[in-house]
Amino acid sequence: MKPVPFLDLGRLHQAIREPLDAAYRRVVDSGWFIMGPELEAFEAEFALYCEVRHCVGVGNGLEALHLLLRAYGIGPGDEVIVPSNTFIATWLAVSECGATPVAVEPDIATHNIDPELIASAISQRTRAIIPVHLYGQPADMDPINALAARHGLIVIEDAAQAQGARYKGRRAGSLSDAAATSFYPGKNLGALGDGGAVLTNDAAIADKVRQLRNYGSMVKYQHDLAGYNSRLDELQAAFLRSKLAVLDAWNERRRQVARQYSRLLANTGVTLPVVPDHADPVWHLYVIRSKDRNALKSHLEQQGISTVIHYPTPPHRQRCYAEFAGLHLPVSETLASEVLSLPMDPLMDAADVERVVGETCAGESARVRIVQGL
């Protein structure tokens, strides 16, 4: 029985092996490995792609968020509104600044932060809102930006899962004051190691992040800030340039896979992703919901189909955030118990999708028979 991997990075990279090899040779032959021409070229190319003026490459997505918050002067005593349903990095970036994350529940249909619930979370200490474009689908940004403008708040997109996505025709990463993204290998635009970037139209913020990422220095051996070592290296920038050239094609293939999933899984008992009219997602993940998610996951794994849970434990239930354990966040907790990410790979073929769907239906039907006592 042919296995279906969740994402086959080896196969993906083999498909573009020649440009990746050429990128490697360029960097090795140049002898320049940090803060050089490959990084400058990638920053310019990715800024253009994301429809912003500035891109600043950094070490990873968490540090992109953290350095942005630092650049805006957010720190101890401040509060930052974050989704309750997200990868923990969104919260950790706030904590690293000494600020306090304030959790807001998601829309149960889209799993993204619910704009209607944000206003009640704003206090006199609130400085910023970080909406996450979860699973590759943009959050509903217009009401979030309007609310932020009324209260004088900064909006920072966590666009780590949404490279290439659009909201009302505009690119994710260009929809707010600034954005952070990750180039973790499994992302739609992934490096061959860690990496991240800040996106903004604000030249002053871009310069502040450039300074913070490089030991607080803009001139060698002169350190005006207590900064960090968080730089996207030349080799990863070169690889990302090669992968940026195929990003739109691979995103389109993800859309085709998602459409096939949605068509074949309709009316089968699992809850399917909902895409609002304002969103053109890039399907970093295809996330369904099942009342007996663990049994379904186990069934699929027995059939050689790899799945992942994004995410099994919400941030407020993590041990590192024990002070938030008393929060009542039922939507996030429900999602954590029901979500299951099916294989999503730009090089999946129709037969792979059909097999995943067939076994998903078989696993779900078995659950229904047990529940009904048949």
Side-chain angles (χ1 to χ4, degrees):
M1 186 185 305
K2 177 188 173 186
V4 181
F6 184 75
L7 173 65
D8 189 342
L9 289 176
R11 181 173 62 170
L12 273 180
H13 292 147
Q14 190 61 40
I16 57 167
R17 185 58 181 267
E18 288 187 12
L20 290 178
D21 286 347
Y24 169 80
R25 288 192 297 270
R26 272 199 324 271
V27 174
V28 171
D29 291 346
S30 76
W32 197 337
F33 302 107
I34 295 175
M35 303 282 280
E38 293 289 344
L39 176 60
E40 290 181 6
F42 173 71
E43 288 175 334
E45 290 161 7
F46 195 55
L48 182 65
Y49 179 85
C50 293
E51 301 171 357
V52 296
R53 294 190 184 94
H54 306 281
C55 169
V56 184
V58 298
N60 55 62
L62 170 57
E63 290 175 357
L65 281 171
H66 173 224
L67 296 182
L68 260 179
L69 291 167
R70 280 288 313 274
Y72 280 109
I74 293 171
D78 295 329
E79 293 179 349
V80 177
I81 292 174
V82 295
S84 57
N85 181 50
T86 184
F87 181 57
I88 198 168
T90 315
W91 288 45
L92 290 175
V94 177
S95 300
E96 283 189 8
C97 294
T100 301
V102 176
V104 170
E105 285 271 69
D107 179 331
I108 190 65
T110 66
H111 304 196
N112 271 327
I113 192 169
D114 189 337
E116 295 185 2
L117 301 180
I118 294 175
S120 62
I122 295 173
S123 75
Q124 291 184 341
R125 296 170 58 194
T126 305
R127 292 284 312 282
I129 305 169
I130 305 180
V132 177
H133 303 320
L134 201 62
Y135 314 149
Q137 176 160 286
D140 192 0
M141 293 300 298
D142 282 356
I144 294 172
N145 286 329
L147 180 65
R150 289 198 297 273
H151 290 271
L153 305 178
I154 299 154
V155 180
I156 297 171
E157 300 162 66
D158 183 336
Q161 299 184 6
Q163 293 129 345
R166 290 189 181 274
Y167 172 83
K168 298 184 179 180
R170 293 171 288 154
R171 287 280 196 201
S174 70
L175 306 171
S176 61
D177 294 294
T181 195
S182 165
F183 302 125
Y184 180 78
K187 302 301 186 190
N188 290 41
L189 180 62
L192 274 66
D194 264 326
V198 163
L199 301 163
T200 186
N201 288 316
D202 188 325
I205 290 298
D207 282 344
K208 191 72 170 288
V209 173
R210 289 188 184 99
Q211 188 173 16
L212 287 167
R213 75 175 175 182
N214 190 40
Y215 301 99
S217 172
M218 294 294 277
V219 177
K220 194 168 185 177
Y221 301 134
Q222 294 182 20
H223 305 272
D224 299 321
L225 300 174
Y228 305 85
N229 175 14
S230 181
R231 302 171 297 198
L232 181 64
D233 68 62
E234 286 289 281
L235 191 57
Q236 298 305 333
F239 288 147
L240 287 165
R241 294 181 69 196
S242 298
K243 297 182 79 172
L244 182 58
V246 297
L247 178 58
D248 282 342
W250 283 357
N251 281 346
E252 182 53 37
R253 180 56 192 150
R254 286 174 179 269
R255 293 186 182 100
Q256 292 169 7
V257 171
R259 285 195 291 267
Q260 188 178 6
Y261 272 143
S262 294
R263 176 172 56 82
L264 296 177
L265 284 169
N267 304 313
T268 61
V270 297
T271 301
L272 301 182
V274 173
V275 180
D277 290 340
H278 62 243
D280 181 10
V282 290
W283 299 101
H284 174 61
L285 302 171
Y286 188 92
V287 180
I288 63 172
R289 290 168 53 203
S290 171
K291 295 295 184 181
D292 198 354
R293 183 269 314 286
N294 292 341
L296 177 57
K297 178 175 174 59
S298 178
H299 169 79
L300 290 170
E301 288 179 349
Q302 290 170 13
Q303 303 306 312
I305 297 169
S306 297
T307 60
V308 181
I309 299 170
H310 296 94
Y311 298 99
T313 306
H316 74 286
R317 295 296 190 200
Q318 299 285 353
R319 289 178 63 184
C320 64
Y321 282 118
E323 67 270 31
F324 295 103
L327 289 177
H328 182 56
L329 299 169
V331 179
S332 294
E333 290 161 17
T334 295
L335 291 177
S337 70
E338 295 182 357
V339 294
L340 186 66
S341 300
L342 300 181
M344 175 53 74
D345 187 320
L347 298 186
M348 287 178 72
D349 59 28
D352 289 333
V353 177
E354 289 172 1
R355 181 151 174 265
V356 174
V357 169
E359 293 298 344
T360 300
C361 292
E364 190 66 11
S365 296
R367 179 191 72 80
V368 171
R369 286 197 299 273
I370 291 171
V371 170
Q372 293 178 344
L374 298 178

PDB file of all heavy atoms in Angstrom, residues 293-309:
ATOM      1  N   ARG A 293     -11.701  12.653  16.609  1.00  0.00           N
ATOM      2  CA  ARG A 293     -10.503  12.955  15.847  1.00  0.00           C
ATOM      3  C   ARG A 293      -9.383  11.942  16.068  1.00  0.00           C
ATOM      4  O   ARG A 293      -8.740  11.499  15.122  1.00  0.00           O
ATOM      5  CB  ARG A 293     -10.033  14.365  16.208  1.00  0.00           C
ATOM      6  CG  ARG A 293      -8.815  14.898  15.445  1.00  0.00           C
ATOM      7  CD  ARG A 293      -7.512  14.621  16.103  1.00  0.00           C
ATOM      8  NE  ARG A 293      -7.427  14.880  17.516  1.00  0.00           N
ATOM      9  CZ  ARG A 293      -7.365  16.069  18.089  1.00  0.00           C
ATOM     10  NH1 ARG A 293      -7.380  17.162  17.373  1.00  0.00           N
ATOM     11  NH2 ARG A 293      -7.262  16.169  19.417  1.00  0.00           N
ATOM     12  N   ASN A 294      -9.169  11.541  17.311  1.00  0.00           N
ATOM     13  CA  ASN A 294      -8.047  10.651  17.591  1.00  0.00           C
ATOM     14  C   ASN A 294      -8.231   9.287  16.935  1.00  0.00           C
ATOM     15  O   ASN A 294      -7.271   8.697  16.415  1.00  0.00           O
ATOM     16  CB  ASN A 294      -7.854  10.507  19.096  1.00  0.00           C
ATOM     17  CG  ASN A 294      -7.382  11.802  19.751  1.00  0.00           C
ATOM     18  OD1 ASN A 294      -6.869  12.688  19.072  1.00  0.00           O
ATOM     19  ND2 ASN A 294      -7.557  11.906  21.049  1.00  0.00           N
ATOM     20  N   ALA A 295      -9.453   8.789  16.941  1.00  0.00           N
ATOM     21  CA  ALA A 295      -9.717   7.503  16.286  1.00  0.00           C
ATOM     22  C   ALA A 295      -9.534   7.624  14.781  1.00  0.00           C
ATOM     23  O   ALA A 295      -8.996   6.716  14.132  1.00  0.00           O
ATOM     24  CB  ALA A 295     -11.126   7.018  16.620  1.00  0.00           C
ATOM     25  N   LEU A 296      -9.988   8.742  14.206  1.00  0.00           N
ATOM     26  CA  LEU A 296      -9.825   8.952  12.768  1.00  0.00           C
ATOM     27  C   LEU A 296      -8.348   9.058  12.418  1.00  0.00           C
ATOM     28  O   LEU A 296      -7.885   8.452  11.437  1.00  0.00           O
ATOM     29  CB  LEU A 296     -10.565  10.215  12.333  1.00  0.00           C
ATOM     30  CG  LEU A 296     -10.429  10.604  10.860  1.00  0.00           C
ATOM     31  CD1 LEU A 296     -10.884   9.472   9.943  1.00  0.00           C
ATOM     32  CD2 LEU A 296     -11.210  11.892  10.573  1.00  0.00           C
ATOM     33  N   LYS A 297      -7.594   9.787  13.207  1.00  0.00           N
ATOM     34  CA  LYS A 297      -6.149   9.909  12.956  1.00  0.00           C
ATOM     35  C   LYS A 297      -5.484   8.540  13.017  1.00  0.00           C
ATOM     36  O   LYS A 297      -4.646   8.196  12.169  1.00  0.00           O
ATOM     37  CB  LYS A 297      -5.521  10.863  13.978  1.00  0.00           C
ATOM     38  CG  LYS A 297      -4.009  11.017  13.829  1.00  0.00           C
ATOM     39  CD  LYS A 297      -3.473  12.056  14.798  1.00  0.00           C
ATOM     40  CE  LYS A 297      -1.962  12.120  14.763  1.00  0.00           C
ATOM     41  NZ  LYS A 297      -1.432  12.455  13.430  1.00  0.00           N
ATOM     42  N   SER A 298      -5.844   7.749  14.015  1.00  0.00           N
ATOM     43  CA  SER A 298      -5.269   6.422  14.157  1.00  0.00           C
ATOM     44  C   SER A 298      -5.603   5.538  12.953  1.00  0.00           C
ATOM     45  O   SER A 298      -4.736   4.814  12.431  1.00  0.00           O
ATOM     46  CB  SER A 298      -5.774   5.763  15.447  1.00  0.00           C
ATOM     47  OG  SER A 298      -5.257   4.461  15.589  1.00  0.00           O
ATOM     48  N   HIS A 299      -6.853   5.609  12.492  1.00  0.00           N
ATOM     49  CA  HIS A 299      -7.258   4.821  11.325  1.00  0.00           C
ATOM     50  C   HIS A 299      -6.435   5.215  10.096  1.00  0.00           C
ATOM     51  O   HIS A 299      -5.942   4.342   9.363  1.00  0.00           O
ATOM     52  CB  HIS A 299      -8.742   5.027  11.041  1.00  0.00           C
ATOM     53  CG  HIS A 299      -9.177   4.477   9.720  1.00  0.00           C
ATOM     54  ND1 HIS A 299      -9.430   3.141   9.513  1.00  0.00           N
ATOM     55  CD2 HIS A 299      -9.378   5.088   8.516  1.00  0.00           C
ATOM     56  CE1 HIS A 299      -9.761   2.941   8.245  1.00  0.00           C
ATOM     57  NE2 HIS A 299      -9.748   4.106   7.627  1.00  0.00           N
ATOM     58  N   LEU A 300      -6.266   6.509   9.877  1.00  0.00           N
ATOM     59  CA  LEU A 300      -5.516   6.963   8.706  1.00  0.00           C
ATOM     60  C   LEU A 300      -4.059   6.527   8.794  1.00  0.00           C
ATOM     61  O   LEU A 300      -3.465   6.110   7.799  1.00  0.00           O
ATOM     62  CB  LEU A 300      -5.632   8.479   8.576  1.00  0.00           C
ATOM     63  CG  LEU A 300      -7.021   8.995   8.173  1.00  0.00           C
ATOM     64  CD1 LEU A 300      -7.093  10.512   8.309  1.00  0.00           C
ATOM     65  CD2 LEU A 300      -7.373   8.579   6.755  1.00  0.00           C
ATOM     66  N   GLU A 301      -3.482   6.615   9.964  1.00  0.00           N
ATOM     67  CA  GLU A 301      -2.082   6.204  10.115  1.00  0.00           C
ATOM     68  C   GLU A 301      -1.920   4.704   9.857  1.00  0.00           C
ATOM     69  O   GLU A 301      -0.927   4.273   9.259  1.00  0.00           O
ATOM     70  CB  GLU A 301      -1.577   6.580  11.511  1.00  0.00           C
ATOM     71  CG  GLU A 301      -1.374   8.088  11.670  1.00  0.00           C
ATOM     72  CD  GLU A 301      -0.897   8.488  13.054  1.00  0.00           C
ATOM     73  OE1 GLU A 301      -0.930   7.625  13.959  1.00  0.00           O
ATOM     74  OE2 GLU A 301      -0.526   9.660  13.229  1.00  0.00           O
ATOM     75  N   GLN A 302      -2.900   3.915  10.281  1.00  0.00           N
ATOM     76  CA  GLN A 302      -2.844   2.474  10.015  1.00  0.00           C
ATOM     77  C   GLN A 302      -2.888   2.184   8.516  1.00  0.00           C
ATOM     78  O   GLN A 302      -2.377   1.157   8.061  1.00  0.00           O
ATOM     79  CB  GLN A 302      -3.999   1.776  10.717  1.00  0.00           C
ATOM     80  CG  GLN A 302      -3.869   1.738  12.229  1.00  0.00           C
ATOM     81  CD  GLN A 302      -5.130   1.259  12.912  1.00  0.00           C
ATOM     82  OE1 GLN A 302      -6.038   0.727  12.273  1.00  0.00           O
ATOM     83  NE2 GLN A 302      -5.196   1.433  14.225  1.00  0.00           N
ATOM     84  N   GLN A 303      -3.478   3.095   7.755  1.00  0.00           N
ATOM     85  CA  GLN A 303      -3.555   2.936   6.303  1.00  0.00           C
ATOM     86  C   GLN A 303      -2.393   3.605   5.580  1.00  0.00           C
ATOM     87  O   GLN A 303      -2.388   3.711   4.357  1.00  0.00           O
ATOM     88  CB  GLN A 303      -4.887   3.512   5.791  1.00  0.00           C
ATOM     89  CG  GLN A 303      -6.124   2.898   6.430  1.00  0.00           C
ATOM     90  CD  GLN A 303      -6.148   1.381   6.327  1.00  0.00           C
ATOM     91  OE1 GLN A 303      -5.910   0.823   5.248  1.00  0.00           O
ATOM     92  NE2 GLN A 303      -6.451   0.710   7.437  1.00  0.00           N
ATOM     93  N   GLY A 304      -1.409   4.083   6.331  1.00  0.00           N
ATOM     94  CA  GLY A 304      -0.235   4.697   5.727  1.00  0.00           C
ATOM     95  C   GLY A 304      -0.417   6.147   5.340  1.00  0.00           C
ATOM     96  O   GLY A 304       0.359   6.674   4.529  1.00  0.00           O
ATOM     97  N   ILE A 305      -1.413   6.814   5.916  1.00  0.00           N
ATOM     98  CA  ILE A 305      -1.692   8.219   5.590  1.00  0.00           C
ATOM     99  C   ILE A 305      -1.300   9.077   6.783  1.00  0.00           C
ATOM    100  O   ILE A 305      -1.848   8.926   7.885  1.00  0.00           O
ATOM    101  CB  ILE A 305      -3.174   8.412   5.242  1.00  0.00           C
ATOM    102  CG1 ILE A 305      -3.517   7.607   3.977  1.00  0.00           C
ATOM    103  CG2 ILE A 305      -3.513   9.896   5.063  1.00  0.00           C
ATOM    104  CD1 ILE A 305      -5.002   7.516   3.679  1.00  0.00           C
ATOM    105  N   SER A 306      -0.357   9.977   6.575  1.00  0.00           N
ATOM    106  CA  SER A 306       0.150  10.809   7.659  1.00  0.00           C
ATOM    107  C   SER A 306      -0.723  12.047   7.855  1.00  0.00           C
ATOM    108  O   SER A 306      -1.060  12.729   6.885  1.00  0.00           O
ATOM    109  CB  SER A 306       1.588  11.250   7.367  1.00  0.00           C
ATOM    110  OG  SER A 306       2.449  10.130   7.302  1.00  0.00           O
ATOM    111  N   THR A 307      -1.062  12.332   9.087  1.00  0.00           N
ATOM    112  CA  THR A 307      -1.822  13.538   9.427  1.00  0.00           C
ATOM    113  C   THR A 307      -1.137  14.217  10.613  1.00  0.00           C
ATOM    114  O   THR A 307      -0.297  13.620  11.288  1.00  0.00           O
ATOM    115  CB  THR A 307      -3.271  13.198   9.810  1.00  0.00           C
ATOM    116  OG1 THR A 307      -3.270  12.326  10.955  1.00  0.00           O
ATOM    117  CG2 THR A 307      -4.005  12.525   8.651  1.00  0.00           C
ATOM    118  N   VAL A 308      -1.509  15.464  10.855  1.00  0.00           N
ATOM    119  CA  VAL A 308      -0.944  16.228  11.968  1.00  0.00           C
ATOM    120  C   VAL A 308      -2.087  16.981  12.636  1.00  0.00           C
ATOM    121  O   VAL A 308      -3.081  17.339  11.987  1.00  0.00           O
ATOM    122  CB  VAL A 308       0.140  17.220  11.482  1.00  0.00           C
ATOM    123  CG1 VAL A 308       0.732  17.995  12.654  1.00  0.00           C
ATOM    124  CG2 VAL A 308       1.247  16.485  10.724  1.00  0.00           C
ATOM    125  N   ILE A 309      -1.955  17.226  13.929  1.00  0.00           N
ATOM    126  CA  ILE A 309      -2.945  18.009  14.666  1.00  0.00           C
ATOM    127  C   ILE A 309      -2.389  19.413  14.878  1.00  0.00           C
ATOM    128  O   ILE A 309      -1.370  19.584  15.547  1.00  0.00           O
ATOM    129  CB  ILE A 309      -3.279  17.367  16.022  1.00  0.00           C
ATOM    130  CG1 ILE A 309      -3.864  15.970  15.813  1.00  0.00           C
ATOM    131  CG2 ILE A 309      -4.259  18.242  16.807  1.00  0.00           C
ATOM    132  CD1 ILE A 309      -3.989  15.170  17.094  1.00  0.00           C
TER     133      ILE A 309
END
